Amino acid sequence: MKVRAVKIFSWIIGLFMLCMLFLWIDFKELSRIFTQIGFMGVVIWALITLFVRLLYAEITVLPLSVFEAKISRMDAFWIGWVRTFANQILPLSGLAVYIKAIKDRAGVSWSEISALATPQFFISAMAVSLLGMISTVIALDIEDFGLILLVIYSVIFIISLVLILQTPSAMRAFPSSLSKRLISSADAFEKISSSPKLILLLVIYYCGVILLRVVRLWLLFMLAGQELDWQTALILGVIAESTLIIQLTPGGIGLREGSILAGAVFMGVDGGLAASVAIIDRLLVVSMTVVFVLPSGYFLWLGRSKVVKE
């Protein structure tokens, strides 16, 4: 009950932060920017988003191979939309929907599902921190804020790597009464952590997702009339993606937009324009999610399952 209350509170805080962002916005300017982006700009943004979703589908499918389970990439694609809808429209249920859908389609156990979720988070954190270190070195002077950012990303990368490799051993070190309950999860976790090739591929895929989302953000800035050099676009986009590590609000709502504004101001980009771009980006995400969740429900719950367990 307490966990549920905390999650509801975090969602409310996210909405509050998003509303506060409107204080930076001139609504006439927001309307002008949206008109300037135009239909073709939205279409290109949507195509980039579809490529992101295809990569996420691959990220879902790939780790299941260590459990000798299969799920079609198309099912993984649709499940991703349902999860996003649940996170941003119906708070608290995104992860539960995702886990239940994967379990039903792939036929894996609860211990295997739980073992999938944790390393995926650590691996995504590794990808964000890796790109964070690279973008910091490229875009900022390694002094003051740049040095602080570099240290933070380096620490996140090291901690994430250690946790991926050492969590199974740590789970087995718990008292015997507890370790018996965790042994199945530890065994499943170890199947993932003991595969360097799998971890490397997942890091590459996550980096691809982040870079595509950076391109998507850079596109909106460019169409809004603010041409960013690629170094600024990279550091701004990576800072925005870093909010996914913190996960204080569902889908990073409010937090992501605030980080885009803060990063833009720090990099000398007009704050009002950055706030407008951040709001438009969020509105496009929500709109596209609403459009895709209906066919997702049809293919996942009314259509036939395409998954077989070997």
Side-chain angles (χ1 to χ4, degrees), residues 111-124:
S111 62
E112 290 169 336
I113 284 289
S114 64
L116 276 174
T118 305
Q120 287 276 53
F121 173 75
F122 294 148
I123 291 169
S124 66

Side-chain angles (χ1 to χ4, degrees), residues 216-287:
R216 194 176 67 180
L217 190 63
W218 168 81
L219 173 70
L220 292 180
F221 271 103
M222 183 186 69
L223 294 176
Q226 178 71 60
E227 293 191 12
L228 304 180
D229 58 72
W230 68 271
Q231 296 95 331
T232 300
L234 179 62
I235 188 67
L236 187 59
V238 171
I239 289 174
E241 294 303 312
S242 300
T243 59
L244 297 178
I245 299 177
I246 306 172
Q247 291 192 343
L248 291 178
T249 61
I253 187 170
L255 198 61
R256 173 181 168 83
E257 290 74 26
S259 69
I260 292 174
L261 172 59
V265 172
F266 177 79
M267 297 299 293
V269 179
D270 179 75
L273 185 141
S276 295
V277 167
I279 291 293
I280 290 172
D281 186 64
R282 175 64 67 176
L283 290 175
L284 289 174
V285 168
V286 172
S287 299

Side-chain angles (χ1 to χ4, degrees), residues 82-278:
V82 174
R83 179 181 185 178
T84 301
F85 177 83
N87 274 337
Q88 300 199 36
I89 310 300
L90 302 171
L92 311 179
S93 55
L95 183 60
V97 169
Y98 178 79
I99 289 176
K100 182 67 166 58
I102 294 295
K103 182 180 182 296
D104 290 345
R105 290 305 171 292
V108 293
S109 66
W110 284 111
S111 62
E112 290 169 336
I113 284 289
S114 64
L116 276 174
T118 305
Q120 287 276 53
F121 173 75
F122 294 148
I123 291 169
S124 66
M126 283 178 61
V128 171
S129 57
L130 177 62
L131 289 177
M133 290 185 287
I134 294 172
S135 61
T136 300
V137 171
I138 291 174
L140 302 174
D141 294 327
I142 308 304
E143 57 184 26
D144 300 329
F145 180 71
L147 180 60
I148 293 172
L149 208 56
L150 183 61
V151 170
I152 291 173
Y153 281 127
S154 300
V155 170
I156 292 173
F157 183 86
I158 293 170
I159 290 176
S160 298
L161 181 60
V162 170
L163 288 173
I164 289 172
L165 299 177
Q166 297 301 320
T167 295
S169 299
M171 293 170 77
R172 292 192 178 94
F174 281 103
S176 57
S177 59
L178 184 58
S179 63
K180 290 179 180 178
R181 302 173 189 174
L182 295 176
I183 193 67
S184 296
S185 293
D187 290 342
F189 198 120
E190 194 165 38
K191 290 181 180 180
I192 297 175
S193 62
S194 62
S195 175
K197 181 180 178 181
L198 175 61
I199 294 173
L200 178 60
L201 282 174
L202 288 174
V203 169
I204 291 172
Y205 287 148
Y206 272 115
C207 284
V209 166
I210 294 167
L211 290 175
L212 282 172
R213 291 174 67 154
V214 169
V215 170
R216 194 176 67 180
L217 190 63
W218 168 81
L219 173 70
L220 292 180
F221 271 103
M222 183 186 69
L223 294 176
Q226 178 71 60
E227 293 191 12
L228 304 180
D229 58 72
W230 68 271
Q231 296 95 331
T232 300
L234 179 62
I235 188 67
L236 187 59
V238 171
I239 289 174
E241 294 303 312
S242 300
T243 59
L244 297 178
I245 299 177
I246 306 172
Q247 291 192 343
L248 291 178
T249 61
I253 187 170
L255 198 61
R256 173 181 168 83
E257 290 74 26
S259 69
I260 292 174
L261 172 59
V265 172
F266 177 79
M267 297 299 293
V269 179
D270 179 75
L273 185 141
S276 295
V277 167

Side-chain angles (χ1 to χ4, degrees), residues 39-59:
F39 176 75
M40 285 307 300
V42 172
V43 169
I44 295 172
W45 183 97
L47 288 175
I48 295 172
T49 301
L50 288 177
F51 279 115
V52 169
R53 291 292 176 168
L54 290 173
L55 275 179
Y56 268 129
E58 194 64 31
I59 287 169

